[in-house]
Amino acid sequence: EAQVTQNPRYLITVTGKKLTVTCSQNMNHEYMSWYRQDPGLGLRQIYYSMNVEVTDKGDVPEGYKVSRKEKRNFPLILESPSPNQTSLYFCASSSPINSPLHFGNGTRLTVT
Amino acid sequence: TQLLEQSPQFLSIQEGENLTVYCNSSSVFSSLQWYRQEPGEGPVLLVTVVTGGEVKKLKRLTFQFGDARKDSSLHITAAQPGDTGLYLCAANFGNEKLTFGTGTRLTIIP
């Protein structure tokens, strides 16, 4: 089954404790992207990747890192999480770029 | 920064009624996508429209792309409880990015 898989689904952590949210897709898509979803603000793009070893900042990249060492994986890294990063995070992929996005089921992150 | 405005932000109607939600921008889109998101899940694509004036139908859902390519609407006929969800439009303004609207949260009351 074609899918985008994120882990974990839920995560509660404390300020400053590094964490990684994993994202994997099995559709051989070139394009992958991370979004955060907050009430009243919609989906905002954090980072995106056009292909392996190619990543770019989205609209709200501060406090986040990504890597794209393999085509299927696009992890989101929070080196020092802060409470304002409490949000619902989605990973998505598509091919080619600007084609409809396939989304994961989300990761709900709470930073205390 | 291009902005996409969706209206209304919230809509609650009785089962069987009709409704229309809107997606507007001050800039021209090259294409527009509509997604529906249900609680606990990611958004799922409903339709893509690419031609000004285009109308697409998906069962009881009718999608229209404005002639000027700055707006789109989604009309639902005889709404059912299964239509409940967050409806998101997403536009491509001719660059690499897909910009999402803030969404319309629709509740259909049985």
Side-chain angles (χ1 to χ4, degrees):
Chain A
E1 179 188 354
Q3 59 184 1
V4 177
T5 303
Q6 293 179 229
N7 281 295
R9 289 294 308 272
Y10 301 91
L11 180 58
I12 301 174
T13 190
V14 296
T15 298
K17 185 177 182 181
K18 181 180 178 180
L19 66 92
T20 300
V21 184
T22 63
C23 175
S24 180
Q25 51 93 5
N26 63 0
M27 295 167 280
N28 202 36
H29 285 169
E30 285 86 19
Y31 181 83
M32 297 185 75
S33 182
W34 276 102
Y35 294 86
R36 60 179 289 174
Q37 188 174 35
D38 302 288
L41 297 176
L43 280 163
R44 294 181 292 166
Q45 191 178 48
I46 303 170
Y47 268 94
Y48 65 97
S49 170
M50 301 280 280
N51 214 323
V52 175
E53 301 292 0
V54 180
T55 63
D56 279 294
K57 296 178 180 180
D59 297 317
V60 288
E62 294 77 20
Y64 304 95
K65 287 175 56 178
V66 293
S67 69
R68 188 90 182 274
K69 297 178 182 177
E70 306 165 281
K71 198 171 190 179
R72 62 183 294 127
N73 295 324
F74 191 44
L76 179 69
I77 303 154
L78 283 71
E79 294 271 5
S80 183
S82 62
N84 65 11
Q85 292 179 298
T86 292
S87 186
L88 179 58
Y89 291 87
F90 288 99
C91 179
S93 72
S94 70
S95 185
I97 187 172
N98 291 330
S99 296
L101 289 166
H102 296 256
F103 283 86
N105 280 334
T107 295
R108 186 167 291 283
L109 172 65
T110 302
V111 183
T112 61
Chain B
T1 302
Q2 293 98 346
L3 294 176
L4 271 182
E5 295 183 357
Q6 287 189 244
S7 61
Q9 189 175 357
F10 299 95
L11 183 59
S12 182
I13 64 170
Q14 295 288 333
E15 181 177 359
E17 295 184 351
N18 302 332
L19 66 106
T20 303
V21 299
Y22 301 92
C23 176
N24 296 285
S25 175
S26 57
S27 301
V28 174
F29 322 135
S30 57
S31 66
L32 188 113
Q33 300 165 10
W34 282 94
Y35 293 81
R36 179 170 65 212
Q37 183 179 11
E38 299 186 21
E41 299 181 7
V44 175
L45 180 76
L46 294 172
V47 76
T48 300
V49 285
V50 296
T51 305
E54 183 176 3
V55 177
K56 282 191 174 179
K57 293 195 175 185
L58 185 66
K59 298 184 180 178
R60 294 176 293 99
L61 278 60
T62 301
F63 303 85
Q64 186 157 9
F65 199 8
D67 290 338
R69 306 168 68 91
K70 293 183 178 181
D71 60 275
S72 181
S73 64
L74 159 58
H75 182 79
I76 301 178
T77 303
Q80 299 179 1
D83 296 326
T84 292
L86 178 67
Y87 288 80
L88 295 160
C89 63
N92 177 260
F93 291 99
N95 54 24
E96 298 172 342
K97 293 181 56 177
L98 197 64
T99 299
F100 281 85
T102 52
T104 293
R105 189 165 297 280
L106 175 64
T107 302
I108 308 301
I109 303 165

